[in-house]
């Protein structure tokens, strides 16, 4: 079907018809990319275990294993604090930069290709780490490179999934990514557990090398999946955009639905380009920060929203449990097996996340994030108060653990997936890849900051806060609650283009009541014959090929 016909079809203000019906196969295609979450989770999860492995420590410290077997001396002979910090945080440094660069690459070579490239970079990093023996050079370099690859994958998967998913299930599909993160963390604990007692290089090489499998599966799968149609629209390649959209929706290319959905994407892009012209490379980066701080729909506000959203997600303190849980549970005393409790929190994380697949579409993003923050605040203050008042009582310790599990439940079913879903939805196409990339980079930056600061807050020879650290997390979660109330818009059930319009016409607090009342296609170029102005597509093609 010709582009003219597609424009004509979309040039109605029927807001219900701007997205095609979808086949089951098409749903599976969109959901596959969630597999990328395994990288994220596994990579954050495996390293703590490896650093504590007896064989790994003796290899790097050159000490006799008997010193490590003695519980009184074991601590002193672990990998030094500065080396541990270097090995752990170098990954976040790599991911931070990887995520930022990935935004550019995704606009240049495509979303799908960028993720595949990220898998390639990641595999190189993993090979270096696996090859490492004595000396930390290879492992540090390997983690930096692998981190770069994870940055590519973690930023662009969200972009890709948000752009290809049907609007009705977009939240659920992106939540699938969070689910895979939780499975990745669990897998890392299981693999570490299985190899930690080995007395050979397999103890650390197996958990490291196994990650290549995730990269191969993800890259292989994506190879067969279509590119995002919104990328082709951005590049001005309308025939390819039609082709991939038809594949994604499981519809013929000339179906009316495909033509209407496509025309709405084109018209929205054209509109956005009018509001914010692209310009040079630096000017297009500067576009992410354009507009007024006081207007909810300005690019600046959206960039602040995305980056602060991810900051708030880290402020919930969830990684305190996943990174430092075992040590924290040990300090509570009266617990026989702190590793088991850590495993339980990891399992609660995995099992609670799927609840969001339904709730995020049924109730929406805003209620989920508001109730989630409230639930976390209550649990955290209970843990903090109980631990401060009566921390040595075994019954109190059991109650603390129970409330930590309920806190994880609230995180996993709300802010865990919610933060990723929202950042994929709030940016307009011209700045979407960079906006999502910056937001993802913010997640890794805050992840890193919290990982570096926390030991100072809880270390027995430092702040020694013990359970009182939950006063800090509780206060930060209170900020997340207030933040959600004032700043998070409701995006449920809207196409990405409708979200764009909604942000212009409402405030976060009134957004849930907003209903689409027109389409960009209808607004932009209706002629007397009911067709869009013919210059629109030509214009998009010209601008896209000039990028
Ligand atoms: C967060 C991670 C966290 C994980 C726990 C993710 O959404 O960004 O930092 O470790 O959830 O499931």
């Amino acid at each position: 079907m010709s582009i003219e016909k597609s424009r004509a079809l979309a040039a109605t203000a029927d807001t219900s018809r701007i997205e095609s019906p979808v086949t089951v196969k098409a749903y599976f295609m969109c959901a596959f990319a969630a597999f990328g979450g395994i990288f994220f989770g596994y990579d954050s999860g495996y390293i703590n275990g490896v650093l504590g492995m007896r064989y790994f420590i003796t290899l790097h410290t050159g000490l006799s294993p008997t010193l490590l077997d003695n519980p009184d001396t074991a601590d002193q002979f672990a990998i030094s604090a500065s080396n541990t910090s270097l090995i752990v945080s170098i990954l976040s440094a790599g991911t931070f930069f990887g995520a930022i660069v990935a935004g550019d690459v995704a606009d240049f070579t495509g979303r799908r290709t960028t993720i595949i490239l990220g898998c390639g970079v990641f595999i190189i990093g993993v090979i270096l780490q696996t090859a490492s023996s004595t000396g930390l050079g290879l492992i540090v370099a390997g983690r930096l490179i692998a981190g770069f690859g994870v940055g590519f994958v973690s930023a662009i998967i969200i972009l890709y999934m948000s752009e290809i998913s049907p609007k009705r299930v977009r939240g659920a599909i992106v939540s699938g990514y969070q689910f895979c993160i939780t499975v990745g963390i669990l897998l890392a604990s299981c693999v570490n557990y299985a190899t930690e007692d080995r007395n050979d290089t397999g103890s650390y090489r197996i958990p490291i090398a196994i990650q290549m499998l995730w990269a191969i599966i993800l890259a292989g799968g994506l190879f067969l999946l279509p590119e995002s149609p919104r990328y082709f629209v951005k590049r001005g390649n309308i025939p390819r955009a039609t082709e991939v959209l038809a594949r994604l929706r499981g519809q013929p290319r000339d179906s009316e639905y495909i033509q209407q959905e496509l025309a709405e994407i084109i018209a929205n892009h054209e509109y956005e380009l009018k509001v914010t012209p692209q310009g040079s490379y630096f000017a297009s980066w500067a576009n992410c920060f354009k507009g007024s701080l006081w207007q909810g729909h300005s690019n600046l506000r959206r960039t602040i929203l995305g980056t602060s959203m991810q900051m708030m997600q880290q402020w919930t303190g969830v990684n305190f449990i996943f990174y430092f849980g075992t040590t924290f549970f040990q300090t509570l005393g009266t617990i026989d097996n702190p590793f088991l409790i850590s495993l339980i929190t990891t399992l609660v994380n995995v099992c609670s996340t799927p609840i969001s697949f339904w709730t995020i579409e049924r109730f929406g993003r805003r209620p989920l994030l508001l109730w989630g923050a409230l639930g976390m605040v209550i649990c955290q203050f209970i843990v903090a108060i109980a631990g401060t008042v009566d921390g040595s009582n075994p019954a109190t310790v059991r109650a603390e653990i129970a409330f930590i599990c309920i806190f994880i439940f609230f995180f996993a079913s709300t802010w865990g997936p919610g933060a990723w879903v929202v950042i994929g939805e709030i940016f307009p196409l011209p700045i979407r890849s960079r906006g999502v990339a910056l937001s993802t980079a913010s997640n890794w930056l805050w992840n890193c900051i919290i990982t570096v600061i926390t030991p100072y807050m809880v270390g027995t020879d430092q702040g020694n806060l013990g359970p009182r650290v939950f006063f800090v997390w509780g206060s930060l979660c209170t900020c997340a609650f207030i933040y959600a109330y004032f700043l998070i818009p409701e995006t449920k059930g809207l196409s990405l283009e409708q979200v764009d319009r909604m942000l212009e016409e409402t405030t976060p607090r009134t957004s849930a009541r907003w209903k689409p009342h027109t389409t960009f296609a209808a607004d932009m170029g209706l002629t007397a014959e009911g067709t869009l102005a013919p210059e629109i597509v030509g214009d998009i093609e010209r601008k896209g090929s000039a990028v």
Side-chain angles (χ1 to χ4, degrees), residues 40 178 181-182 185 313-314 319 322 349 411 416 420 443 447:
F40 185 137
Q178 170 69 14
I181 296 181
T182 65
I185 299 176
Q313 196 221 40
Q314 292 299 309
N319 285 327
F322 293 127
N349 194 29
F411 174 86
W420 297 109
N443 176 292
N447 187 319

Side-chain angles (χ1 to χ4, degrees), residues 305-523:
L305 180 63
T307 47
S308 55
M309 178 90 205
Q310 290 292 344
M311 175 182 82
M312 288 288 164
Q313 196 221 40
Q314 292 299 309
W315 279 17
T316 59
V318 67
N319 285 327
F320 172 69
I321 302 299
F322 293 127
Y323 295 172
F324 303 100
T326 313
T327 357
F328 174 73
F329 294 130
Q330 267 157 1
T331 63
L332 290 180
T334 72
I335 293 181
D336 296 335
N337 192 346
F339 291 99
L340 184 67
I341 312 281
S342 284
L343 188 65
I344 293 175
T345 53
T346 312
L347 278 170
V348 171
N349 194 29
V350 175
C351 299
S352 317
T353 307
I355 300 173
S356 67
F357 299 171
W358 181 71
T359 49
I360 206 150
E361 301 301 357
R362 171 72 182 76
F363 303 110
R365 288 53 165 160
R366 238 179 101 77
L368 225 62
L369 294 167
L370 274 168
W371 288 106
L374 189 64
M376 290 191 284
V377 169
I378 294 172
C379 294
Q380 289 173 333
F381 279 118
I382 290 179
V383 175
I385 294 168
T388 312
V389 175
D390 191 20
S392 51
N393 182 338
T396 311
V397 172
R398 278 198 295 278
E400 281 178 79
I401 293 173
F403 277 100
I404 288 175
C405 289
I406 305 177
F407 154 57
I408 299 292
F409 160 81
F410 275 113
F411 174 86
S413 54
T414 63
W415 276 79
W420 297 109
V421 171
V422 171
I423 65 161
E425 300 179 325
I426 53 172
F427 295 101
L429 185 53
I431 62 158
R432 187 174 298 137
S433 61
R434 284 172 181 150
V436 177
L438 283 170
S439 309
T440 309
S442 160
N443 176 292
W444 287 106
L445 178 70
W446 283 98
N447 187 319
C448 180
I449 293 175
I450 289 177
T451 317
V452 172
I453 291 178
T454 308
Y456 293 97
M457 294 199 288
V458 289
T460 39
D461 51 347
Q462 308 273 344
N464 198 14
L465 284 182
R468 281 169 300 156
V469 73
F470 280 91
F471 281 119
V472 177
W473 306 130
S475 310
L476 292 173
C477 270
T478 309
C479 299
F481 178 78
I482 299 169
Y483 171 88
Y485 181 75
F486 285 106
L487 292 171
I488 296 174
E490 183 53 68
T491 47
K492 172 187 97 167
L494 304 176
S495 72
L496 296 180
E497 289 68 35
Q498 287 168 342
V499 170
D500 201 23
R501 173 136 291 162
M502 176 272 288
L503 288 175
E504 271 183 31
E505 296 181 357
T506 61
T507 63
R509 275 175 292 160
T510 54
S511 55
R513 292 198 293 276
W514 186 85
K515 293 267 172 304
H517 47 83
T518 183
T519 63
F520 281 96
D523 283 1

Side-chain angles (χ1 to χ4, degrees), residues 212-239:
M212 280 190 264
L213 199 62
W214 321 143
I216 293 167
I217 297 175
L218 182 67
L222 279 179
F223 211 73
L224 304 173
L225 289 183
E227 179 50 86
S228 156
R230 287 170 168 96
Y231 162 72
F232 283 125
V233 168
K234 192 166 195 300
R235 301 292 296 185
N237 191 342
I238 308 300

Side-chain angles (χ1 to χ4, degrees), residues 65-246:
T66 47
L67 288 169
L68 290 163
D69 291 339
N70 178 349
D72 296 332
T73 50
D75 272 3
Q76 302 159 31
F77 298 115
I79 305 278
S80 72
S82 55
N83 280 344
T84 303
S85 157
L86 175 68
I87 297 174
V88 175
S89 57
I90 197 81
L91 180 96
S92 319
T95 39
F96 175 81
F97 292 110
I100 292 187
V101 173
D104 278 348
V105 182
D107 274 351
F108 191 67
T109 62
R111 283 69 167 127
R112 197 183 63 119
T113 326
T114 309
I115 303 171
I116 296 174
L117 268 173
C119 292
V121 174
F122 178 77
I123 289 178
I124 297 174
V126 173
I127 291 174
L128 291 181
Q129 292 176 67
T130 314
S132 84
S133 54
T134 49
L136 293 178
L138 270 184
I139 200 153
V140 170
R143 269 179 77 76
L144 182 68
I145 297 172
F148 203 77
V150 176
F152 265 50
V153 174
S154 59
I156 307 307
I157 286 264
I158 294 293
L159 176 67
Y160 179 68
M161 293 181 86
S162 311
E163 286 193 344
I164 64 171
S165 300
K167 62 179 179 171
R168 242 169 295 117
V169 292
R170 192 180 52 235
I173 285 182
V174 177
S175 300
Y177 170 76
Q178 170 69 14
F179 177 63
C180 289
I181 296 181
T182 65
V183 173
I185 299 176
L186 178 66
L187 276 175
S189 321
C190 297
V191 177
N192 278 342
Y193 187 73
T195 66
E196 67 187 354
D197 289 333
R198 289 176 70 118
N199 216 5
D200 56 17
T201 56
S203 56
Y204 68 93
R205 283 191 169 144
I206 295 173
I208 293 177
I210 241 173
Q211 305 175 87
M212 280 190 264
L213 199 62
W214 321 143
I216 293 167
I217 297 175
L218 182 67
L222 279 179
F223 211 73
L224 304 173
L225 289 183
E227 179 50 86
S228 156
R230 287 170 168 96
Y231 162 72
F232 283 125
V233 168
K234 192 166 195 300
R235 301 292 296 185
N237 191 342
I238 308 300
R240 289 297 304 280
T242 320
E243 185 191 314
V244 293
L245 186 63

